[in-house]
Amino acid sequence: MNELQVSPEQLFVTTTLKAWDLWLGRITKFFDGLTDEQMLQEIAPGKNRAVYLYGHLLVVSDAMIPQMGLGEAKYEHLREAFLSKPDRAVELPGSAELRESWREVHARVGSVFAELKPEQWLAGHATVSAEDFAAQPHRNRLSILLSRTSHLGYHLGQLMLMTR
Amino acid sequence: MNELQVSPEQLFVTTTLKAWDLWLGRITKFFDGLTDEQMLQEIAPGKNRAVYLYGHLLVVSDAMIPQMGLGEAKYEHLREAFLSKPDRAVELPGSAELRESWREVHARVGSVFAELKPEQWLAGHATVSAEDFAAQPHRNRLSILLSRTSHLGYHLGQLMLMTR
């Protein structure tokens, strides 16, 4: 099938994936434009540092895989530093290591997403019971992707306030 | 049809609308919790005031109607103050008036969205040519909704930095 003959279901998926790619591209470009020193700057006085948000988003992207029931997380060991605990509570990995992990995790989720058929996007996610899912079929994999896309936007908005 | 028998296309739409409702609900709750005085506070030193973002999001929501080719904008007269010009360039309407308009515009877009059938979500939006749309069918109404949902997240992230 060429793009003109694509099914409506596939077009819904493609449109949603384009939105994910767009926001991911924007925020990746932002972080790529920061020096390692700027990574340690706060987004606003007394608030999170850029490096904390970078690791935070990396861990959240990684966690989509098990949340969608599609495999194991790979950066479980970064969860405490970037998710369970606030910035400055735990010593963080260096920016070079995080930049490498950022590329790896987003290449991985991108490949996993590209493989999913429309009906697989509508399957229940791993944290909803079969009973709840029967009554609330919108609690599917697609809803996780939508949530994480806007979550990228949420933190990009904050990062744009940084004075560099 | 009950929810269990809903078509895949309709479920894609429902899931996307739930995401819009979720972020809209979050940010509406945030603004509803601000006093008119707090509305005039900056989100961070030297940055936009909350009231500016409130009007900005109101105008952007309103503009979805013509962008989707579904009617006319109603708050065109607020575009200059909240979109074309930065905060503090133009005198802004009072918070009471904006709160009323916020409710009106979001009730209106909510009704319009609820009427659209799945295939109507996949129709090209008003700012894409027929030729471009044929080659890029993801430039549809759904893509506008996805973009505006993450845009709500973008500014909610900024608002959450306010110290009240």
Side-chain angles (χ1 to χ4, degrees), chain B residues 57-71:
Chain B
L57 290 167
L58 188 168
V59 168
V60 169
S61 292
D62 182 52
M64 279 194 282
I65 303 280
Q67 282 158 359
M68 292 187 182
L70 296 170

Side-chain angles (χ1 to χ4, degrees), chain A residues 3-4 15 134-135 140 154 157-158, chain B residues 3-4 15 134-135 140 157-158 160:
Chain A
E3 207 168 15
L4 298 178
T15 306
N140 49 46
Y154 182 99
Q158 297 180 330
Chain B
E3 206 167 15
L4 299 178
T15 305
N140 48 45
Q158 296 180 331
M160 294 302 287

Side-chain angles (χ1 to χ4, degrees), chain B residues 81-147:
Chain B
F82 291 111
L83 200 70
S84 328
K85 300 222 168 156
D87 192 13
R88 298 178 190 81
V90 176
E91 201 185 338
L92 303 182
S95 289
E97 181 188 330
L98 291 175
R99 290 184 200 276
E100 183 56 33
S101 303
W102 178 276
R103 270 180 287 277
E104 189 281 327
V105 69
H106 290 111
R108 188 157 43 94
V109 298
S111 312
V112 169
F113 293 166
E115 296 282 312
L116 287 181
K117 294 186 172 53
E119 64 272 21
Q120 293 176 308
W121 279 106
L122 295 179
H125 56 64
T127 59
V128 61
S129 70
E131 192 183 2
D132 286 350
F133 182 61
Q136 303 176 306
H138 58 273
R139 296 174 67 183
N140 48 45
R141 288 180 179 136
L142 188 81
S143 71
I144 294 180
L145 181 64
L146 292 174
S147 164

